[in-house]
Amino acid sequence: MPDNRIADLDWWRGAVIYQIYPRSFNDTNGDGIGDLNGVTERMDYIASLGVDAIWLSPFFTSPMEDFGYDVSDYEDVDPMFGTLADFDKMVEAAHDRGLKVMIDLVISHTSDRHPWFKESRASKDNAKSDWYVWADAKPDGTPPNNWLSLFGGPAWEWDSRRCQYYMHNFLTSQPDLNFHNPDVQDAVLSAAEFWLKRGVDGFRLDTVNFYFHDAQLRDNPPLGAGEMPSTVDPTNPYGFQDHLYDKTRPENLIFLEKLRGLLDRYPGSTSVGEIGADGQAVELTASYTEAGKRIHMAYSFDLLTPQHSASYIRRIVDEMNVGTENGWASWALSNHDVKRVASRWGEGLDLKKFAPLEAALCASLRGTPCVYQGEELGLTQADVPFEKLQDPYGIRFWPEYKGRDGCRTPMPWVKDAANAGFSDADPWLPVAEEHYDKAAFEQDEDETSILNRNRAFYAWRRTRLSLQKGDMSFLDGPEDTLVFTRSHDRETVLCAFNLGTAPTTITLSGLDLEDLHAPGFSGKVEGTTIALEGLDAAFARVRS
């Protein structure tokens, strides 16, 4: 394929990335599961949003026990999603519309059906015997240490072929690769280059701080007194440990420099890493995204929590800004792993006001915003009954934790069509009944819809470099408000958000403000005063 990466190496800084979960986006072959041709078919819709890039969750060959995050072939498309030719056609369609294409790179682990693991488990002396993390049992037969799996239980599974345990941070069918072996590093970098050669513009790096483990296999200590478990699921004992040794090892920095070297050979390509780190998000984002050295940007789960007060958001963002002066964060309020923000933060609120507000807030922070499919429509979390659950994480911890299926239900396209126009067949997860009224093509006809308000804001944002690449400083405002400036190339834009439902007034002495009349918001700026309705925002140019 021709290389369509662009000369602007900095395009990713402040770009809006639209995350697509292919299984649930659009089904064109009638099997109830979305596919790559479905993404291509909706490319005009994606481009109409005013986003700059798409990120596709995994579509590689996989037994789908973790829905593609268990890869059995890094260099092919699972037949469920189509073919390599379909992928090439999709990339071409995106590039023709000025959209970049990023794909999930899942290299901390593979499926247990990957040929590498099949060879590794066959004996202790084959060519790939140490490509995975193998360890002998303790004398009493128990696992080698106390490491836990994020999906519940020990992070070790006994293998009767080798009579050893292998490590798995997730499902037992997802054995962890041994990154201490340089051959493993070369193999996953070769897989990444396969896709770069096909024209992708970058990677979302799944569990980017999980690549290395402690070679001595030391036990993790418990959390310190007063520390709270920080996993998405509070019922999971994984959160009770201080994960010093099973992830976030210092050797990872050296590998990320090798990965950056590969990306730099394809100018215009980029990377965003998913950091799952208890209390270390700022420190790791700073070191992992240090300018020009490692990956380009990273996101953590700090705004993917139930906490959402103005003071909490300010603290999280301010700490990130201060701590990553030479790096770059990415922000997401929803994704395929957490409860949708419209339910997590917007429960009980007017979604026609809340959904555009949260989208504008995320897109106004210093960093690169990620928008999860359906977030532009204001979709709420679906309640999937137990008998229809697919997520092994949810099945294990139900009913206290219902897993991730509720944010992965199919995209609604047509209000009055079967399955909301997602598929002619019964979909792999049911379409939420309340999502039909929020269908994309229904909202497309309404100028005041959540969809069209978000489109208008993203289009307006493209005219303001300050909101894309500028520095950021917080100002004090009333309770429930966030007030900050973004400054770039002699322009300073003030952003004011009222997260509360009651009207409020913000007075900023010493500033001369000119209202920029951001579309979709009714906030009024006069001199040094900003008047905001509930769930409202205003943007102004700072003249002095």
Side-chain angles (χ1 to χ4, degrees), residues 65-67 151 171 390-397 404-405:
E65 294 186 22
D66 192 22
F67 305 108
F151 286 176
L171 295 175
Q390 302 290 327
D391 182 14
Y393 194 0
I395 291 170
R396 176 155 192 168
F397 286 96
R404 302 164 295 178
D405 287 336

Side-chain angles (χ1 to χ4, degrees), residues 179-491:
F179 271 74
H180 291 286
N181 185 332
D183 291 338
V184 169
Q185 297 184 34
D186 290 344
V188 296
L189 290 174
S190 176
E193 188 163 25
F194 173 86
W195 295 102
L196 289 167
K197 287 178 177 177
R198 297 196 87 86
V200 305
D201 301 285
F203 302 105
R204 180 264 191 182
L205 302 165
D206 186 63
T207 59
V208 71
N209 60 310
F210 280 67
Y211 296 162
F212 280 85
H213 66 286
D214 174 49
Q216 299 178 52
L217 302 183
R218 287 172 281 188
D219 280 349
N220 284 327
L223 286 182
E227 291 185 276
M228 295 295 293
S230 58
T231 53
V232 172
D233 168 20
T235 69
N236 190 342
Y238 182 88
F240 300 160
Q241 291 187 354
D242 186 358
H243 292 271
L244 290 180
Y245 297 117
D246 54 349
K247 63 182 181 182
T248 320
R249 303 301 300 158
E251 300 95 330
N252 210 30
L253 296 175
I254 299 171
F255 172 74
L256 293 180
E257 290 173 6
K258 292 176 68 173
L259 175 60
R260 179 58 180 263
L262 169 63
L263 291 166
D264 286 347
R265 294 203 298 273
Y266 292 83
S269 60
T270 194
S271 53
V272 55
E274 175 199 32
I275 292 177
D278 307 336
Q280 294 180 280
V282 173
E283 174 189 345
L284 290 186
T285 301
S287 61
Y288 280 25
T289 69
E290 185 177 347
K293 291 192 67 176
R294 301 181 185 104
I295 61 177
H296 299 75
M297 45 190 165
Y299 76 88
S300 67
F301 285 76
D302 287 341
L303 293 186
L304 294 167
T305 65
Q307 299 150 290
H308 63 283
S309 66
S311 60
Y312 173 79
I313 296 171
R314 174 171 176 168
R315 178 177 66 81
I316 292 298
V317 175
D318 207 21
E319 288 176 355
M320 187 66 73
N321 288 341
V322 172
T324 59
E325 184 178 357
N326 295 316
W328 195 254
S330 177
W331 297 107
L333 303 185
S334 286
N335 69 17
H336 64 292
D337 281 330
V338 300
K339 190 175 184 178
R340 285 187 176 275
V341 69
S343 295
R344 203 176 69 250
W345 289 8
E347 185 175 10
L349 300 178
D350 181 348
L351 287 183
K352 288 200 73 172
K353 293 182 177 180
F354 170 78
L357 184 73
E358 62 86 6
L361 172 61
C362 187
S364 298
L365 304 176
R366 179 182 181 268
T368 295
C370 284
V371 182
Y372 179 49
Q373 67 180 47
E375 192 176 354
E376 76 276 16
L377 305 175
L379 295 190
T380 52
Q381 184 81 352
D383 187 11
V384 180
F386 179 77
E387 62 272 16
K388 294 190 176 181
L389 286 183
Q390 302 290 327
D391 182 14
Y393 194 0
I395 291 170
R396 176 155 192 168
F397 286 96
W398 192 89
E400 286 75 16
Y401 175 66
K402 296 183 179 180
R404 302 164 295 178
D405 287 336
C407 64
R408 297 177 176 183
T409 55
M411 272 283 286
W413 296 102
V414 182
K415 177 181 178 180
D416 297 323
N419 304 312
F422 164 73
S423 176
D424 293 333
D426 287 340
W428 75 287
L429 283 173
V431 178
E433 196 63 37
E434 63 273 18
H435 288 179
Y436 282 81
D437 284 339
K438 292 186 171 66
F441 298 149
E442 183 78 9
Q443 292 200 38
D444 190 46
E445 300 299 319
D446 178 2
E447 291 184 3
T448 67
S449 69
I450 294 170
L451 171 62
N452 281 320
R453 285 186 62 186
N454 284 329
R455 281 172 168 161
F457 182 81
Y458 291 139
W460 176 81
R461 179 183 180 273
R462 279 184 167 175
T463 70
R464 309 244 71 96
L465 276 178
S466 296
L467 293 181
Q468 299 167 50
K469 304 180 187 297
D471 296 329
M472 181 176 178
S473 296
F474 277 99
L475 303 174
D476 291 333
E479 187 179 6
D480 291 334
T481 67
L482 287 168
V483 187
F484 52 87
T485 58
R486 299 291 308 278
S487 301
H488 178 77
D489 194 22
R490 297 191 300 278
E491 179 187 69

Side-chain angles (χ1 to χ4, degrees), residues 13-32:
R13 193 182 297 273
V16 179
I17 300 173
Y18 184 71
Q19 182 194 353
I20 295 172
Y21 194 71
R23 291 182 69 94
S24 298
F25 194 64
N26 185 34
D27 172 26
T28 60
N29 64 0
D31 63 356

Side-chain angles (χ1 to χ4, degrees), residues 72-247:
S72 57
D73 186 344
Y74 283 110
E75 298 183 2
D76 204 355
V77 174
D78 193 278
M80 174 185 298
F81 297 120
T83 65
L84 280 171
D86 294 331
F87 176 82
D88 293 341
K89 184 173 67 172
M90 185 211 66
V91 172
E92 183 178 7
H95 286 165
D96 285 347
R97 291 159 178 79
L99 295 167
K100 312 300 178 292
V101 177
M102 302 176 67
I103 65 173
D104 238 312
L105 192 63
V106 188
I107 56 175
S108 70
H109 54 269
T110 71
S111 165
D112 60 0
R113 301 188 202 179
H114 197 293
W116 298 346
F117 186 72
K118 290 180 178 180
E119 182 174 351
S120 185
R121 79 191 315 181
S123 69
K124 296 180 181 179
D125 57 3
N126 64 78
K128 291 185 173 58
S129 60
D130 63 346
W131 276 43
Y132 292 81
V133 184
W134 294 98
D136 292 329
K138 289 181 178 179
D140 62 358
T142 57
N145 61 28
N146 72 343
W147 296 352
L148 295 173
S149 162
L150 258 166
F151 286 176
W156 299 96
E157 180 72 4
W158 180 253
D159 184 76
S160 59
R161 297 164 183 80
R162 287 182 52 144
C163 290
Q164 285 183 305
Y165 283 99
Y166 65 83
M167 178 187 173
H168 61 93
N169 271 304
F170 301 96
L171 295 175
T172 58
S173 57
Q174 293 171 297
D176 273 65
L177 285 162
N178 176 21
F179 271 74
H180 291 286
N181 185 332
D183 291 338
V184 169
Q185 297 184 34
D186 290 344
V188 296
L189 290 174
S190 176
E193 188 163 25
F194 173 86
W195 295 102
L196 289 167
K197 287 178 177 177
R198 297 196 87 86
V200 305
D201 301 285
F203 302 105
R204 180 264 191 182
L205 302 165
D206 186 63
T207 59
V208 71
N209 60 310
F210 280 67
Y211 296 162
F212 280 85
H213 66 286
D214 174 49
Q216 299 178 52
L217 302 183
R218 287 172 281 188
D219 280 349
N220 284 327
L223 286 182
E227 291 185 276
M228 295 295 293
S230 58
T231 53
V232 172
D233 168 20
T235 69
N236 190 342
Y238 182 88
F240 300 160
Q241 291 187 354
D242 186 358
H243 292 271
L244 290 180
Y245 297 117
D246 54 349
K247 63 182 181 182

